Amino acid sequence: MTSLAAQFPRTLDLVADVTLNPTFPQEEVERQRSTRLANLLAQKSNPSQIASRVMATALYGTAHPYGYLDLGTEASNKALTRDAMVDFWKQHIVPGNAALVVVGAISRKQLEPIAAKAFAGWTGKAAPARTLPAARGTSAKLVIVDVPGAAQTQVRVASIGVPRSTPDFEALEVMNALLGGLFTSRINLNLREDKGYTYGAFSTFAFRQEAGPFYAGAGVRTDATAPSVTEIYNEIRKMKDVEVTMDELTLGKDSLVRSMPGRFETTAQTVDSFRTLFVYNLGLDYYSKYIERIGSLDAAAVHTAASRHLVPERMLVVAVGDRQKIEADLMKLNLGAAEIRDAEGNVVKP
């Protein structure tokens, strides 16, 4: 929440009431359900969203929570009940696994009595840590989603990455900035500036509590679908096999260091930055030492991170586009076994 400083105590009382005494009105449950179902329907006509959904399911399988987007599925939203929401709240919305992050014109001395009063009587220990099942993705290396008449193809080259707790997190940040995180990254300059296949290409690591996905991709011209896949793999292998230049290293490190002030530009951004410290147990001194950690990285550290975590042999390709126009060329790449899936990630029989 955001409030004027003068209204903060009253606003925090409201936040505490919502946290401690939610009522989950059935009519609101149904309103949210309808909104989510409408959003899921809209996703089915968005090739980029289809690519994200199918990629998640292909990498993790249907028994793993990372195998789905945040909205879930049509079936899960229809099956969700108010009682299930209440049970989840009772188990997880407890002080034992919560933090209050406050940024603004208020001191700790001023805040503590206000927070103690607002949340008085809130009890409950953290729920036992959940052990996620093993990812059981597809053995296929090429997944095609047919969108007849599509103007372009959404391409993703993906694998399971690493958790946020990985000790070489900063090295991976620098590496990915150079690979596909910046406008001047290798993948974007190759596919956009040199080849003219796309308006923009990228790569990213989705850092989570457990290993989230790594993926590179773009929306590309239909006739450039297979060549785009080839060039993405080329850039990934080059990053893995050859150390970055000193100019590149400086660019990657500077991009991260110079973006640091933006994380604290507003109170909302500052709250989000410190929320991250709690969620991933990074320690309160994380940001004060961040620039030093980035500065200490050399080309060898970035190369080691790339060699360790960019494994083309474990990657698969998801292509969302006009099957009749893209399948033959993709098959010529000899990526491995191929399968056809629908927009929800279900395997379709040939």
Side-chain angles (χ1 to χ4, degrees):
M1 63 86 178
T2 302
S3 79
L4 296 173
Q7 298 299 325
F8 176 76
R10 296 176 63 186
T11 309
L12 191 61
D13 285 341
L14 179 59
V15 171
D17 185 43
V18 170
T19 305
L20 276 66
N21 308 299
T23 58
F24 300 100
Q26 189 63 46
E27 62 271 20
E28 287 298 304
V29 172
E30 297 308 322
R31 183 177 68 83
Q32 290 290 341
R33 192 195 316 276
S34 296
T35 299
R36 293 170 70 88
L37 289 172
N39 289 338
L40 282 169
L41 183 62
Q43 284 185 355
K44 291 182 180 180
S45 60
N46 184 323
S48 180
Q49 290 291 326
I50 293 173
S52 296
R53 176 175 293 279
V54 174
M55 180 188 74
T57 302
L59 285 176
Y60 291 94
T62 57
H64 196 289
Y66 292 0
Y68 301 89
L69 300 186
D70 291 347
L71 277 176
T73 66
E74 181 178 343
S76 68
N77 277 275
K78 288 182 176 179
L80 189 60
T81 66
R82 178 185 177 278
D83 288 344
M85 297 179 193
V86 172
D87 287 342
F88 183 90
W89 166 71
K90 288 179 178 178
Q91 292 181 51
H92 298 282
I93 312 303
V94 294
N97 66 350
L100 178 64
V101 184
V102 178
V103 174
I106 187 169
S107 68
R108 176 172 177 171
K109 183 177 179 180
Q110 293 170 316
L111 172 63
E112 286 183 338
I114 297 172
K117 176 178 176 294
F119 291 93
W122 190 26
T123 60
K125 297 180 180 180
R130 180 181 177 186
T131 300
L132 298 184
R136 300 190 183 280
T138 180
S139 60
K141 295 300 182 182
L142 172 62
V143 178
I144 297 175
V145 180
D146 188 19
V147 181
Q152 62 176 1
T153 304
Q154 284 290 334
V155 170
R156 302 290 184 271
V157 178
S159 65
I160 294 177
V162 292
R164 176 60 180 81
S165 59
T166 183
D168 52 3
F169 172 78
E170 285 80 14
L172 279 176
E173 278 199 304
V174 173
M175 184 276 290
N176 185 70
L178 300 175
L179 178 63
L182 297 173
F183 181 83
T184 54
S185 67
R186 294 179 179 185
I187 289 176
N188 192 54
L189 290 181
N190 185 331
L191 269 66
R192 174 191 162 101
E193 301 299 306
D194 184 35
K195 303 298 191 304
Y197 293 160
T198 180
Y199 286 113
F202 66 92
S203 69
T204 188
F205 281 86
F207 292 108
R208 302 171 181 170
Q209 295 282 10
E210 303 292 338
F214 160 79
Y215 53 101
V220 303
R221 294 193 336 245
T222 299
D223 65 311
T225 300
S228 295
V229 171
T230 296
E231 292 304 322
I232 291 173
Y233 269 114
N234 286 343
E235 294 298 346
I236 289 173
R237 291 190 178 99
K238 188 186 302 181
M239 181 64 73
K240 173 184 173 65
D241 295 338
V242 182
E243 280 192 3
V244 299
T245 67
M246 289 306 299
D247 286 343
E248 284 182 309
L249 180 65
T250 299
L251 173 66
K253 292 165 66 172
D254 285 353
S255 70
L256 295 170
V257 170
R258 292 173 181 174
S259 68
M260 270 288 290
R263 301 187 187 188
F264 304 93
E265 192 170 12
T266 67
T267 54
Q269 288 169 316
T270 304
V271 162
D272 190 59
S273 294
F274 282 102
R275 173 196 61 82
T276 300
L277 302 185
F278 171 73
V279 170
Y280 295 109
N281 194 29
L282 299 177
L284 292 177
D285 63 349
Y286 176 80
Y287 292 115
S288 65
K289 297 180 178 179
Y290 179 80
I291 293 177
E292 179 182 348
R293 288 194 299 272
I294 294 294
S296 68
L297 294 172
D298 57 17
V302 174
H303 182 239
T304 297
S307 300
R308 183 178 298 155
H309 302 299
L310 295 180
V311 186
E313 295 76 20
R314 298 178 187 171
M315 295 179 182
L316 58 82
V317 173
V318 175
V320 181
D322 192 324
R323 180 184 177 185
Q324 288 189 344
K325 296 179 180 179
I326 66 176
E327 184 175 20
D329 287 340
L330 286 171
M331 294 299 292
K332 292 177 184 178
L333 298 180
N334 295 316
L335 299 171
E339 62 187 19
I340 309 299
R341 297 195 177 219
D342 63 21
E344 295 183 346
N346 302 308
V347 177
V348 177
K349 293 182 179 180

